[in-house]
Each structure stands twice: as C-alpha cells, then as structure tokens.
Amino acid sequence: MKFDNVDLYGTSPIVALKRVLGTLSRSDLAAGLSSRRHRLERKLLSELGEIVRGGPFVGMAYTSLVTSGGCIVPKLLGCYEQELHSVIKSILERKFDAVINIGCAEGYYAIGMARAMPTAIVYAYDIDEISRYRCGGLADKNDVANRVRIGQTISPQDFSAYKGQRVLVICDIEGGEFALLDPIKSQALLEFDMLVELHPGSAGTVDNFTGRFSATHDVEIFQPGERNPEEFPELASLSLLDKLLVMYERFDATPWVYLEARQT
C-alpha cells in the first residue's frame, strides 16, 4: 500500500490519520477495515447502550440494527453529521405541520424529528424494505408511531398533496435528489423548506440544484467538517486509529444544502 498521493505534512495527527483512513477505505483493505470497525462497534454498543447521548436528538432510544454504513457510534454519541446541528436546532424552533424524510434508512432523522416536533406528522420513505421495517420499529420504541407514516417511494407529483402546509423535506437518496426535487415537476416544492444531501455528478451539480430555488429560497450550504474523537470520553479505551475508524461517516465529502422558503 502506497501513500504517495496522500498529503500528511503540515496537518494535525488526527487529520493525517483520517487521510490515511480515507485512502485505505478505497483499497483492497476496505473489507478488513469494515470487519475491524464492526468488532469495535459491537464492543462499544455493549458499553454505550442504545440511547443517543448528545446532539439535537439526545435521549432518543436507538437501535444497533442500522443500515449498511449506518455510522452507529456517531449516532449514539450525538455527533453524526455534526455540521448540520446548528441548522437542525433552528429548524426545531419552528412549527412544521409535516416532515417528509426521503431516504429515511432506519429512522435517525425521521424518528428524531417526530420526537422533537410533537405536533408534526412525519412521512418516512425508503426503497429498502428492511430499512422501512427498522424505521417502524424505532417509531414504536420511541412512542411516536401514531405520527409516523412509512412508505416506499414518493414522486414529484405526490408533493402537491402537502401544498398549503408548513413542510420540511429531509432528503438523502444518493443522487436521486436532482430528478425528484424539481420545481418544474412540482411547484409545491417552492413553498417547502428542504434539507438535502447533494451527490454531485452526472445527474447535476450543487449550483444547478440550488439555482432552481434561488428566487424562492434562502440557501445555505454545509460542507462535511472534522470530528475530534478525543472529545468523547466514551472512546478513551481505543487507540486513535480505532477512534477514527468508529467515527468515520463517509468516504466522499458530500455537501448538504438547506433551502428555507421565503414565502409563508
């Protein structure tokens, strides 16, 4: 394994190790890293339990049965997608009638929002059957099943059913957002607030997506930030490399965008 293209100079030890980890994750050692991470997660789960310890959804009962690459340790520690915490805090101070979570996985955002917004109805969608089942289980576990509706897919035309309500859309669908969240296909989107993970590529760019809503929304972009594993005493028994491994959230630095509708 060569690290000739990995810049390790002039950086902190944590940043340097994260860059090495990123390189390893794209190599033939990825399977070995995944296996090690799984063992570490099993060990930590027995110590952490299944309650979210911090962040915007602190106190949420959780599950160890996360989707593939589900980042269970960051979710339990409360630092998952930490760059979004400030905007989520702002969102929770508003009154939404409905939250539409597209790509809900096992329900971190869907059930977290249902707990934090006691008057909102949450509509959680995922094409994966196991994810939908686990999301339903998490709703039951947190006593919010009466306000969570779980479905498989949603089309642009389906958004019209929510027109006239105060709606928040949370979307993470691996590039499908460019086709789904298109105001030409559904003008109802022009009235919704949206928190979307963007996956730039052949389907579209960040500028292309945000440009669709520049006349109707205030736009804020969030880039993935660094995590300092030394801030979490729950990880004290691990080596620095193992701390980084269990906290590693993604291989690709995909941005999030928050679009807040100007009209009410």
Side-chain angles (χ1 to χ4, degrees), residues 36-44 238 242 245-246:
R36 182 173 183 83
R37 174 172 170 161
H38 180 74
R39 292 195 301 272
L40 290 167
E41 287 175 340
R42 296 306 100 185
K43 173 182 180 294
L44 288 169
L238 304 182
D242 282 346
L245 190 57
V246 298

Side-chain angles (χ1 to χ4, degrees), residues 63-216:
T63 173
S64 60
L65 300 176
V66 298
T67 56
S68 177
C71 309
I72 181 61
V73 172
K75 288 174 179 176
L76 288 175
L77 291 177
C79 61
Y80 180 66
E81 296 183 328
Q82 188 171 300
E83 54 275 3
L84 300 181
H85 285 189
S86 61
V87 72
I88 290 174
K89 180 180 178 181
S90 177
I91 286 170
L92 294 179
E93 293 172 351
R94 301 172 194 150
K95 183 177 176 61
F96 286 93
D97 301 307
V99 177
I100 305 173
N101 184 196
I102 310 163
C104 65
E106 75 278 355
Y108 181 75
Y109 284 114
I111 308 309
M113 289 293 180
R115 289 183 73 253
M117 297 179 174
T119 63
I121 303 298
V122 175
Y123 300 86
Y125 294 91
D126 203 292
I127 60 173
D128 179 64
E129 182 179 3
I130 293 175
S131 293
R132 296 195 302 273
Y133 175 79
R134 291 175 177 172
C135 185
L138 202 60
D140 288 332
K141 196 172 184 178
N142 285 276
D143 298 319
V144 295
N146 62 319
R147 292 188 293 106
V148 176
R149 315 283 188 264
I150 299 174
Q152 181 174 358
T153 61
I154 186 170
S155 72
Q157 293 71 33
D158 292 333
F159 291 121
S160 62
Y162 304 94
K163 192 173 176 61
Q165 300 183 59
R166 185 72 190 273
V167 176
L168 171 69
V169 174
I170 302 175
C171 182
D172 178 5
I173 51 174
E174 308 302 323
E177 64 273 7
F178 291 99
L180 179 63
L181 303 178
D182 186 343
I184 295 177
K185 298 176 183 177
S186 177
Q187 291 195 354
L189 292 170
L190 298 176
E191 301 177 4
F192 299 169
D193 289 3
M194 291 173 278
L195 183 61
V196 184
E197 185 172 32
L198 294 179
H199 304 79
S202 59
T205 65
V206 173
D207 289 343
N208 167 261
F209 185 85
T210 57
R212 301 173 179 180
F213 301 97
S214 60
T216 55

Side-chain angles (χ1 to χ4, degrees), residues 14 77-79 82 85 226-236 240 243-244 247:
I14 290 174
L77 291 177
C79 61
Q82 188 171 300
H85 285 189
E226 295 291 342
R227 312 282 187 271
N228 183 355
E230 303 296 355
E231 295 178 358
F232 300 94
E234 296 91 342
L235 306 180
L240 180 54
K243 291 175 183 177
L244 292 170
M247 292 186 68

